[in-house]
Amino acid sequence: MKRNEIISDKQAIALLVFIMTADKIVMAVATQAKKDFWLSIILAVAICIPILLIFARLHVLFPKKNFFDMIESIGGKYLGKVLILLFVFYTSMNTVLVTDIFSYFVTTASITGSPKVIPAIAIMLLCAWVVKEGIEVMGRFASLFLILFVCIIAIGVIFMIPKMEINNLRPIFNEGIKPTIEGAIYTIGFPLSESVIFIMIFTPSKTGNSPNKIYINALLIAGLILFITSFSEFLVLGTDEYTKTYFPAYKAVSRINIGDFIQRMEIIPAAAYVIGGFVKLSICLLAITNGVSKLCNCGDYRLIVIPITLLMINGSLFVTSSMMHLFAWTEEIWTTFSLPFQVILPIMIWIAAEIKTKKIKAVNRSMQK
């Protein structure tokens, strides 16, 4: 195995949690459901359990292989290349989208008026550095900073308690069941099923990682974080502000004012998002370079990290024309675009993998006889 490509269960869980929570700790979750957003989150987590178990099953069927190796083993040389290209395209679009969100957040929350290329270059070059260091470094950073990430969120939630109003949640099911289901589907597409990107970088080690434990524990932790943060923000802001504000976490925390002493705490969501965004973008960048190196039969993905990084920076500058366009695109198009890559294709690959594995076992048994 190549240098710096083995991570522990704890590190893998931390990386997955960042994939599933980084953007949504500052953005609204399941706005389609309005007051019933929290039910959408619970439903989304429940639906994602079998999806992530499928991801884990692929690791069991193909030990010591990442997703791109699995695809080539199942689809062969030509179909495998096509599928790899599709997943590289999806991950590239995801990376461009996340970079765009990060840039807009930074230029809105702190360096107002600055061109969004500045934070895009800063974060992506930092990601390129850590990707070249390898997944082991990324795993160590994620496992260490997940604790800080959770502590920062907890501090923000505690300080918001005096501003919370429980009546903002009433009445339940005021919008009906359909918006709740729509909110759940949207939450699955962005961000929970983005965990498919993790399969592209993770190879269970020979020491025996537990894929089921990794995926389910990460999902439950991420679901709890999303539930607590969005629940707190909604209680502070109410329906209209929560669903119509681009970054409700930032606005909710700005209302903290305890005894005219503790106030102006916007640094809390900003710090958490910078940590989460950095880890998530690093994972996305590593997945793209893994896929491209597989397509091009490149021996070491580190050789193409910088060119891919520059492409992602350029893509983030042109994918959307404004923040309004960005958020409209994520709400109206992204879920429809992403779910085939996150759910449908992985399920088809899993079915094909099960069939191929059974055939191989049958052949082996017949040869032994």
Side-chain angles (χ1 to χ4, degrees):
M1 183 153 304
K2 294 179 183 178
R3 176 177 65 90
N4 291 342
E5 291 195 354
I6 297 176
I7 57 175
S8 66
D9 284 12
K10 180 181 177 181
Q11 292 167 350
I13 290 171
L15 289 170
L16 261 171
V17 170
F18 278 119
I19 291 176
M20 291 188 276
T21 60
D23 305 301
K24 286 300 182 178
I25 59 168
V26 293
M27 298 170 65
V29 180
T31 55
Q32 298 84 348
K34 296 186 178 179
K35 293 178 184 293
D36 299 322
F37 72 95
W38 58 279
L39 292 171
S40 294
I41 295 173
I42 295 173
L43 181 60
V45 170
I47 294 173
C48 276
I49 289 176
I51 296 173
L52 266 64
L53 286 175
I54 288 174
F55 296 167
R57 177 62 179 168
L58 286 172
H59 289 302
V60 175
L61 294 173
F62 294 93
K64 302 180 185 178
K65 289 186 177 182
N66 65 29
F67 193 47
F68 298 120
D69 295 328
M70 299 175 196
I71 290 174
E72 198 165 64
S73 297
I74 296 168
K77 182 177 179 181
Y78 297 106
L79 178 59
K81 295 290 186 185
V82 172
L83 290 173
I84 291 171
L85 181 60
L86 287 174
F87 279 102
V88 168
F89 172 69
Y90 158 74
T91 310
S92 299
M93 291 298 296
N94 192 299
T95 305
V96 166
L97 177 68
V98 174
T99 305
D100 211 24
I101 293 171
F102 182 88
S103 299
Y104 278 122
F105 177 81
V106 173
T107 54
T108 300
S110 56
I111 51 176
T112 307
S114 299
K116 67 176 186 176
V117 67
I118 302 300
I121 291 174
I123 190 69
M124 289 304 290
L125 289 181
L126 189 60
C127 292
W129 167 74
V130 77
V131 167
K132 293 189 76 171
E133 292 298 314
I135 191 173
E136 184 178 305
V137 173
M138 292 169 55
R140 289 176 179 174
F141 178 91
S143 62
L144 175 63
F145 277 83
L146 181 61
I147 300 172
L148 177 61
F149 181 76
V150 171
C151 289
I152 292 172
I153 292 172
I155 291 170
V157 170
I158 291 170
F159 283 152
M160 284 192 288
I161 289 175
K163 298 292 182 179
M164 295 180 186
E165 177 53 63
I166 193 65
N167 288 326
N168 286 334
L169 289 174
R170 299 172 181 168
I172 298 175
F173 281 129
N174 187 50
E175 305 295 327
I177 188 66
K178 184 179 177 181
T180 302
I181 295 174
E182 290 176 350
I185 294 172
Y186 175 77
T187 305
I188 292 169
F190 184 45
L192 295 182
S193 287
E194 288 180 303
S195 50
V196 70
I197 297 171
F198 184 71
I199 314 178
M200 305 176 198
I201 68 167
F202 177 58
T203 304
S205 70
K206 61 184 178 181
T207 55
N209 296 91
S210 174
N212 285 349
K213 173 184 173 183
I214 289 170
Y215 282 96
I216 298 305
N217 285 351
L219 175 63
L220 295 177
I221 294 170
L224 183 62
I225 290 173
L226 292 177
F227 184 89
I228 291 173
T229 54
S230 57
F231 197 82
S232 303
E233 294 156 15
F234 195 93
L235 290 181
V236 173
L237 298 175
T239 304
D240 290 339
E241 286 188 282
Y242 180 78
T243 56
K244 294 178 181 178
T245 303
Y246 292 132
F247 301 111
Y250 193 78
K251 188 166 187 177
V253 172
S254 68
R255 295 189 176 182
I256 294 175
N257 186 353
I258 302 176
D260 293 326
F261 175 70
I262 300 177
Q263 53 185 325
R264 304 301 300 174
M265 300 294 291
E266 290 90 336
I267 187 63
I268 291 176
Y273 183 47
V274 168
I275 294 171
F278 166 66
V279 176
K280 182 170 182 175
L281 284 170
S282 298
I283 295 168
C284 291
L285 187 58
L286 178 57
I288 297 170
T289 54
N290 276 346
V292 173
S293 64
K294 189 71 176 177
L295 285 171
C296 302
N297 295 318
C298 178
D300 190 352
Y301 67 85
R302 293 172 179 84
L303 299 175
I304 58 174
V305 170
I306 296 301
I308 296 296
T309 301
L310 296 177
L311 283 174
M312 295 301 103
I313 294 172
N314 277 279
S316 70
L317 302 179
F318 301 106
V319 67
T320 58
S321 57
S322 65
M323 193 184 302
M324 183 180 295
H325 182 202
L326 169 65
F327 280 80
W329 199 80
T330 57
E331 291 185 5
E332 298 170 10
I333 299 175
W334 179 252
T335 299
T336 304
F337 166 79
S338 63
L339 282 179
F341 298 97
Q342 298 171 343
V343 180
I344 298 173
L345 282 176
I347 289 175
M348 293 173 64
I349 291 169
W350 163 63
I351 293 171
E354 293 283 3
I355 294 172
K356 183 172 183 177
T357 302
K358 287 182 179 179
K359 287 183 178 179
I360 293 173
K361 288 181 178 178
V363 170
N364 291 338
R365 282 196 299 267
S366 63
M367 292 178 64
Q368 290 174 359
K369 293 179 181 179

